[in-house]
Amino acid sequence: MTTTEPTLPREAGRRRGRGRMGAGKQLHAGPLTYVVLTVFALVSLAPLVWTAVAASRTDRRLAQTPPPLWFGGNLFKNLQAAWDQAGLGTAMLNSVIVAGTITVSTVLFSTLAGFAFAKLRFRFSGVLLLLTIGTMMIPPQLAVVPLYLWMSDLGWSNQLQTVILPSLVTAFGTFFMRQYLVQALPTELIEAARVDGASSLRIVWHVVFPAARPAMAVLGLLTFVFAWNDFLWPIIALTQQNPTVQVALNSLGTGYVPDQAVIMAGALLGTLPLLIAFLLFGKQIVGGIMQGAIKG
């Protein structure tokens, strides 16, 4: 026993060293991983590529069998036709105003509400949270008629605030931010700020917002995409004289024989802002998600 005891610390040290070396190794994906990711990427891009191919062809060619599988020479002509017929200049500006306002307000108010439900103690907080989550179970179609009557009484028919006001804050955003802040924001940090004499507004600005930044970026992207693509309520509340992009694109499908190539060109124009936004801010959003995962 006395001859083996001195070797135990050295053996344990070697095991710990091997563990550290194994933990420090960089993982590499195998060939199968690249194959699976390539297949999923191609499947995901297929609808967008087909939209671009159809937008570059003529309506007569799209009606033939087999359908075209490569780009034609009418892309810019169809894009110009869709832009002029649908009045996409005004529609794009309206959609930027609507989606931008909804995104900023939803992220701001949802973060504040999520912080209150996650870290503040007040009466009936659990009941209010259940009521907030419960509103997510109500189909939005049930609120169309009373919401339209309410907006008509306010005299806001065919105005952008009719679309903006009902979406200034969402139950999903509040619940999403609440779940994130429960784990990502230590209560001790808030208590330390209060001990240092920080006001509630200062705590929110200097403690809550920095901690919630990754989740705010994700929520902002999801909200912007949803607001940009929303069709049901805008088509009811707005007209072709003051449309959003989705309402304006609806006019391309009218007529005795709709031009499918022009419709596809309009759909491509309506999708481009989302693609540009993701290309510009996708890296920051993904980085924020990873940062939040590491902190959690």
Side-chain angles (χ1 to χ4, degrees), residues 15-286:
R15 290 178 180 177
R16 286 195 298 268
R18 288 196 298 268
R20 287 193 295 268
M21 290 173 61
K25 289 182 179 179
Q26 185 176 1
L27 298 177
H28 295 279
L32 181 60
T33 303
Y34 287 103
V35 172
V36 173
L37 292 177
T38 302
V39 170
F40 274 96
L42 293 176
V43 172
S44 301
L45 290 174
L48 181 61
V49 174
W50 165 247
T51 301
V53 170
S56 65
R57 296 286 184 165
T58 63
D59 190 51
R60 178 179 297 179
R61 177 64 184 91
L62 293 179
Q64 296 176 358
T65 304
L69 299 178
W70 193 244
F71 298 94
N74 295 328
L75 178 61
F76 294 103
K77 177 183 177 181
N78 291 334
L79 290 176
Q80 185 65 45
W83 184 276
D84 295 336
Q85 292 180 23
L88 287 179
T90 301
M92 287 282 187
L93 179 60
N94 288 343
S95 286
V96 169
I97 296 173
V98 170
T101 305
I102 290 176
T103 299
V104 172
S105 64
T106 298
V107 171
L108 175 62
F109 293 139
S110 296
T111 303
L112 294 175
F115 166 66
F117 282 123
K119 297 299 178 179
L120 300 184
R121 298 292 176 262
F122 54 93
R123 296 183 62 183
F124 308 115
S125 60
V127 175
L128 292 175
L129 180 61
L130 288 177
L131 290 176
T132 302
I133 298 174
T135 59
M136 299 170 59
M137 305 177 186
I138 302 175
Q141 293 82 358
L142 297 180
V144 167
V145 174
L147 188 59
Y148 183 82
L149 295 176
W150 180 30
M151 295 301 164
S152 297
D153 293 339
L154 292 175
W156 287 356
S157 298
N158 195 30
Q159 298 184 31
L160 297 183
Q161 56 262 38
T162 307
V163 182
I164 295 174
L165 182 62
S167 303
L168 288 179
V169 65
T170 62
F172 169 77
T174 300
F175 179 71
F176 178 80
M177 295 304 303
R178 186 260 178 192
Q179 293 300 106
Y180 181 84
L181 289 173
V182 165
Q183 299 294 332
L185 182 60
T187 306
E188 294 79 6
L189 193 60
I190 302 174
E191 294 175 351
R194 292 194 183 280
V195 170
D196 291 340
S199 62
S200 297
L201 182 60
R202 191 177 183 86
I203 291 175
V204 169
W205 185 259
H206 292 283
V207 178
V208 178
F209 283 170
R213 191 177 303 162
M216 292 170 69
V218 176
L219 180 61
L221 176 63
L222 296 177
T223 304
F224 184 84
V225 172
F226 177 80
W228 185 275
N229 292 329
D230 190 20
F231 178 75
L232 175 62
W233 177 238
I235 194 63
I236 296 173
L238 303 177
T239 65
Q240 294 297 333
Q241 284 69 42
N242 191 33
T244 58
V245 168
Q246 310 307 324
V247 177
L249 293 179
N250 184 58
S251 64
L252 295 177
T254 60
Y256 186 71
V257 182
D259 193 328
Q260 299 297 327
V262 175
I263 294 175
M264 289 297 181
L268 186 62
L269 286 172
T271 308
L272 282 179
L274 297 179
L275 297 177
I276 294 173
F278 185 79
L279 289 175
L280 292 177
F281 304 107
K283 187 175 181 179
Q284 289 81 355
I285 293 172
V286 173

